[in-house]
Amino acid sequence: MLPLDFIDYMRSTLGEEAESLFRALEQEPVTSIRLNDKIDTLTFSCDIDEVPWHYDGYYLSERPRFTLDPLFHAGCYYVQEASSMFLQQVLDEYVPRDAIVLDLCAAPGGKSTILSQHLADEGLLISNEVVRQRVFILSENIQKWGNGNVVVTHNKPSDFGDGCRYLFDCILVDAPCSGEGMFRKDPAARSEWSLDNVEMCAERQKSILEDVWDALKPGGVLIYSTCTFNKKENEDNVRWMTEYFGADILPLTTEPEWKIKNTPLGCHFYPHLTRGEGFFIAALRKPDTNFTPFRIRTSKKQDTTIKADLEPMLQWLKEPQQWEIKQSDRFMTAYPARHKPLIDFITGFLTCISVGFGLGELRGKNIAPQHSLSMSKALNPAAFPQFALTEEQALAFLRTEALLPPDGMPMGTVLLTYDGVPLGFAKNVGNRLNNLYPNEWRIRKL
Ligand code: SAM
């Protein structure tokens, strides 16, 4: 049952068309995935259609049990709502690949995986989540996706506005909202909806935007999105940004057959028109005035860690010269060398959950590879003996079950693969296999 105030409100905005929306909201949600460029092709045992606005987006006619697919855990694809993949179109139109980008409200990370892939080897993404319980799933999804160009942070929007003035070329605010567009996917969104809650969300969105606005460079692009339909959280907030900040709305390009409602204040996705959930997105440019660019302050903190010999780890990477390796306690992390000064500043100033990807861990005199290296696109797989697992073995590995080394597995540290894709590391010690899959990521239920 849809909330009655919602029905009245939508009738007053959409007129007769609202009835088609209500019918669409009673249907099953659409399942869609976005392929990672880690792999070329993927097969599913159901019908597949292309998402028209994303070159790696696909609709699936059925919802498979993704948990049972080792390739899902290997980060080969992300299960993502199709409408939100439209972010890619906005990035292609307005955000260069060498941009420094902040994804302010990032968990669980769907849009951050689009951003990190867009920026690839050139730009840098700060992927932030303010809610503590949600930041670890964000970091997990970022590591599985495998681009090393991401710093995951856990900060308040005002930490960026106060401390990173004029740093970012682009900020994505995928705002917490009243979730009307999620009514058929998430029953809690219906039960929690009220006109008061819409009001509260709209005010909170403004306060988030106000807190972070100073972090955007003059001339930079702010992308604002919600998964709700109402004007208060969408058009009114976009208009408010033009009045309050003097921002200019950027036109977004859509094709008529996509049936996206492209208005002067942003694009609406309605489930009775487009195949996906409800979504709104707008892009605005900050006025380009004279400004003092962001200056990186170097940290004076003394590094007292006993340094490991980094040399052996360089062969684990495809292009070692691209990576700066930093040791913190027992752990070695790799992050893009071209962004070293900025990343060093960020790690000294913000609460960082992960930086680039974990490369190795000092264990006695040896260095063991970390799991996130196996997920990374920077991995040189030829640096490790490899062993291909069957589906059954792969699922046992992902459940972190005690395993006996299968016949033919080399001794020592082995890169386990499934369908040609790295799944993680294990150490074959002869009579048993030490499973190096992160315990906190293990499959709990089958
Ligand atoms: N961008 C994410 C994605 O694509 O996977 C979805 C983000 S969700 C729509 C909004 C996020 O904002 C949530 O993760 C929520 O925890 C976070 N959030 C909640 N309150 C916030 C606040 N006051 N400031 C910033 N973020 C907040």
Side-chain angles (χ1 to χ4, degrees), residues 78 80 84 103-112 128-131 134 155 157 172 174-177 204 208 227:
Y78 192 93
Q80 185 169 39
S84 59
D103 183 0
L104 184 67
C105 315
K111 296 187 190 65
S112 272
N128 180 72
E129 171 57 45
V130 72
V131 176
R134 291 171 61 84
N155 283 85
L172 168 64
D174 186 34
C177 69
R204 181 170 61 186
I208 291 172
C227 57

Side-chain angles (χ1 to χ4, degrees), residues 73-93:
H73 301 276
C76 291
Y77 58 95
Y78 192 93
V79 182
Q80 185 169 39
E81 197 287 292
S83 311
S84 59
M85 296 181 199
F86 185 81
L87 170 64
Q88 185 68 58
Q89 296 284 332
V90 185
L91 298 177
D92 288 346
E93 209 160 353

Side-chain angles (χ1 to χ4, degrees), residues 220-323:
V221 173
L222 186 128
I223 304 172
Y224 178 73
S225 59
T226 72
C227 57
T228 210
F229 304 119
N230 72 75
K231 285 199 162 56
K232 280 203 160 80
E233 298 178 67
N234 295 325
E235 284 85 347
D236 289 359
N237 277 349
V238 170
R239 201 177 291 107
W240 176 80
M241 283 189 267
T242 63
E243 289 160 5
Y244 194 71
F245 302 133
D248 296 316
I249 300 169
L250 297 169
L252 301 178
T253 307
T254 53
E255 301 296 331
E257 61 273 21
W258 297 350
K259 298 194 179 150
I260 296 165
K261 282 208 176 172
N262 194 344
T263 78
L265 291 165
C267 283
H268 268 289
F269 294 68
Y270 289 105
H272 61 289
L273 298 175
T274 55
R275 214 171 143 195
E277 304 312 302
F279 185 59
F280 173 85
I281 189 163
L284 298 101
R285 196 180 290 288
K286 188 171 187 169
D288 199 356
T289 49
N290 278 337
F291 69 104
T292 315
F294 177 81
R295 280 217 186 84
I296 297 165
R297 296 177 291 282
T298 44
S299 165
K300 300 211 167 47
K301 219 165 57 185
Q302 287 287 320
D303 186 358
T304 54
T305 324
I306 300 164
K307 293 282 178 238
D309 177 12
L310 304 180
E311 201 55 37
M313 281 183 296
L314 297 180
Q315 51 154 334
W316 296 353
L317 299 169
K318 270 189 211 142
E319 291 174 278
Q321 70 288 354
Q322 283 199 8
W323 302 97

Side-chain angles (χ1 to χ4, degrees), residues 173-195:
V173 178
D174 186 34
C177 69
S178 61
E180 294 157 359
M182 291 290 139
F183 274 180
R184 64 181 180 185
K185 225 182 156 188
D186 176 12
R190 284 183 191 216
S191 58
E192 285 162 18
W193 188 93
S194 69
L195 287 172

Side-chain angles (χ1 to χ4, degrees), residues 354-425:
S354 54
V355 179
F357 58 94
L359 183 59
E361 179 187 350
L362 212 48
R363 291 189 174 178
K365 287 193 185 132
N366 300 321
I367 300 176
Q370 286 191 61
H371 180 74
S372 87
L373 171 67
S374 69
M375 298 287 97
S376 171
K377 294 173 192 175
L379 167 76
N380 169 20
F384 298 93
Q386 293 178 39
F387 189 82
L389 298 177
T390 62
E391 185 178 305
E392 196 184 333
Q393 289 166 338
L395 289 171
F397 171 73
L398 293 166
R399 285 195 301 262
T400 64
E401 283 176 4
L403 297 171
L404 287 175
D407 285 347
M409 179 181 274
M411 293 297 286
T413 302
V414 182
L415 177 65
L416 303 176
T417 62
Y418 174 76
D419 219 0
V421 179
L423 208 56
F425 292 106

